[in-house]
Amino acid sequence: MLSLSALAGMLRWLILSFEPSYSVLLMNQLLHGATYALLMAAAVTFVYEMGPDGMKTTGQTLYTVVASNLSSIIGSNVGGWIMDQQGFSVLFQLASVLSLLGALGFFLMARRYKLRSTSSADMKAL
């Protein structure tokens, strides 16, 4: 689910890079609402499932700090610099590429986690 949300985010950033009309921009913002809700639900679930017992709340706190605070500080500073140097289109194209890389990373992580879970279940059966 995380990779699907990141792919939708990639599409959203790519649409923005073409400086769309107002009506397309409005539809794009509706896509943002859906992808953000999907990302948050999937991320909270993923962090909960991956967190060891007794550390699940700490995992949620770390996720919130990184997703809400650290990413905003870095993103606004680096994004502002890119926007000043190259313009909005390049900024949104780069965001699209980063979302695609995030989708690939989420896909590989989910695949690895599923393989590890399957291997653990097989070992317990033995």
Side-chain angles (χ1 to χ4, degrees):
M1 192 179 303
L2 283 169
S3 51
L4 177 64
S5 177
L7 282 174
M10 183 222 37
L11 176 64
R12 191 175 67 81
W13 290 119
L14 189 61
I15 290 169
L16 285 175
S17 75
F18 294 119
E19 301 177 18
S21 66
Y22 181 75
S23 59
V24 173
L25 187 61
L26 185 62
M27 295 303 288
N28 200 41
Q29 282 306 104
L30 292 174
L31 179 63
H32 170 63
T35 59
Y36 186 76
L38 182 63
L39 174 71
M40 289 302 292
V44 167
T45 301
F46 180 78
V47 169
Y48 180 81
E49 288 178 359
M50 292 300 292
D53 291 336
M55 297 293 288
K56 293 188 184 296
T57 303
T58 302
Q60 294 296 334
T61 302
L62 286 173
Y63 168 73
T64 301
V65 167
V66 171
S68 298
N69 301 317
L70 190 59
S71 62
S72 295
I73 292 168
I74 293 170
S76 62
N77 286 301
V78 173
W81 180 81
I82 292 169
M83 185 185 65
D84 283 345
Q85 300 297 314
Q86 301 294 322
F88 283 107
S89 290
V90 171
L91 174 65
F92 293 141
Q93 288 168 3
L94 180 61
S96 181
V97 169
L98 290 174
S99 293
L100 181 61
L101 291 173
L104 179 63
F106 289 139
F107 173 76
L108 293 173
M109 208 170 23
R111 185 172 171 208
R112 180 177 180 205
Y113 176 69
K114 285 180 184 175
L115 289 175
R116 191 171 12 151
S117 295
T118 303
S119 297
S120 297
D122 290 344
M123 292 300 289
K124 288 178 184 176
L126 294 176

Short mmCIF file of all heavy atoms in Angstrom, two decimals, residues 2 30 41-42 50 59 63 71 90 101 109-110 112:
data_model
loop_
_atom_site.label_atom_id
_atom_site.label_comp_id
_atom_site.label_asym_id
_atom_site.label_seq_id
_atom_site.Cartn_x
_atom_site.Cartn_y
_atom_site.Cartn_z
N LEU A 2 2.00 1.21 0.69
CA LEU A 2 2.90 2.36 0.70
C LEU A 2 3.44 2.64 -0.70
O LEU A 2 3.54 3.80 -1.11
CB LEU A 2 4.06 2.13 1.67
CG LEU A 2 3.74 2.32 3.14
CD1 LEU A 2 4.88 1.81 4.01
CD2 LEU A 2 3.45 3.76 3.46
N LEU A 30 -7.26 16.95 -5.18
CA LEU A 30 -8.09 15.85 -4.68
C LEU A 30 -7.28 14.55 -4.64
O LEU A 30 -7.42 13.75 -3.72
CB LEU A 30 -9.33 15.69 -5.56
CG LEU A 30 -10.34 16.83 -5.49
CD1 LEU A 30 -11.46 16.63 -6.51
CD2 LEU A 30 -10.90 16.98 -4.09
N ALA A 41 -2.24 6.11 6.64
CA ALA A 41 -2.80 4.86 7.16
C ALA A 41 -1.82 3.70 6.97
O ALA A 41 -1.59 2.91 7.88
CB ALA A 41 -4.12 4.55 6.48
N ALA A 42 -1.22 3.63 5.79
CA ALA A 42 -0.28 2.54 5.50
C ALA A 42 0.99 2.68 6.34
O ALA A 42 1.52 1.68 6.85
CB ALA A 42 0.06 2.53 4.02
N MET A 50 6.07 -3.51 12.13
CA MET A 50 7.53 -3.73 12.14
C MET A 50 8.13 -3.50 13.52
O MET A 50 9.21 -4.03 13.81
CB MET A 50 8.21 -2.80 11.13
CG MET A 50 7.90 -3.14 9.69
SD MET A 50 8.39 -4.80 9.20
CE MET A 50 10.16 -4.67 9.28
N GLY A 59 8.22 3.67 18.06
CA GLY A 59 8.26 3.64 16.60
C GLY A 59 7.32 4.66 15.99
O GLY A 59 7.68 5.37 15.04
N TYR A 63 8.44 7.89 13.79
CA TYR A 63 7.84 8.11 12.47
C TYR A 63 7.28 9.53 12.38
O TYR A 63 7.49 10.23 11.39
CB TYR A 63 6.74 7.08 12.18
CG TYR A 63 5.93 7.48 10.98
CD1 TYR A 63 6.47 7.39 9.70
CD2 TYR A 63 4.66 8.01 11.12
CE1 TYR A 63 5.74 7.80 8.59
CE2 TYR A 63 3.93 8.41 10.02
CZ TYR A 63 4.48 8.30 8.76
OH TYR A 63 3.77 8.71 7.67
N SER A 71 11.42 16.01 7.81
CA SER A 71 11.22 16.12 6.35
C SER A 71 10.81 17.54 5.96
O SER A 71 11.21 18.04 4.91
CB SER A 71 10.18 15.11 5.88
OG SER A 71 8.94 15.37 6.49
N VAL A 90 11.32 22.08 -12.37
CA VAL A 90 12.41 21.16 -12.01
C VAL A 90 12.20 20.63 -10.60
O VAL A 90 12.41 19.44 -10.33
CB VAL A 90 13.79 21.84 -12.16
CG1 VAL A 90 14.89 20.98 -11.59
CG2 VAL A 90 14.06 22.18 -13.62
N LEU A 101 11.33 6.65 -6.56
CA LEU A 101 12.34 5.91 -5.80
C LEU A 101 11.78 5.42 -4.47
O LEU A 101 12.08 4.30 -4.04
CB LEU A 101 13.59 6.77 -5.58
CG LEU A 101 14.41 7.09 -6.81
CD1 LEU A 101 15.51 8.09 -6.47
CD2 LEU A 101 14.99 5.84 -7.43
N MET A 109 11.08 -3.28 0.27
CA MET A 109 11.00 -3.53 1.70
C MET A 109 9.84 -4.47 2.03
O MET A 109 9.98 -5.39 2.84
CB MET A 109 10.81 -2.19 2.43
CG MET A 109 11.36 -2.18 3.81
SD MET A 109 11.43 -0.57 4.63
CE MET A 109 10.24 0.45 3.83
N ALA A 110 8.69 -4.24 1.40
CA ALA A 110 7.54 -5.11 1.64
C ALA A 110 7.82 -6.53 1.17
O ALA A 110 7.47 -7.49 1.84
CB ALA A 110 6.30 -4.55 0.94
N ARG A 112 10.76 -7.96 0.94
CA ARG A 112 11.73 -8.56 1.85
C ARG A 112 11.05 -8.97 3.15
O ARG A 112 11.31 -10.04 3.70
CB ARG A 112 12.86 -7.58 2.13
CG ARG A 112 13.89 -8.13 3.07
CD ARG A 112 15.02 -7.16 3.27
NE ARG A 112 15.98 -7.72 4.19
CZ ARG A 112 16.80 -7.01 4.91
NH1 ARG A 112 16.81 -5.71 4.80
NH2 ARG A 112 17.63 -7.58 5.73
#
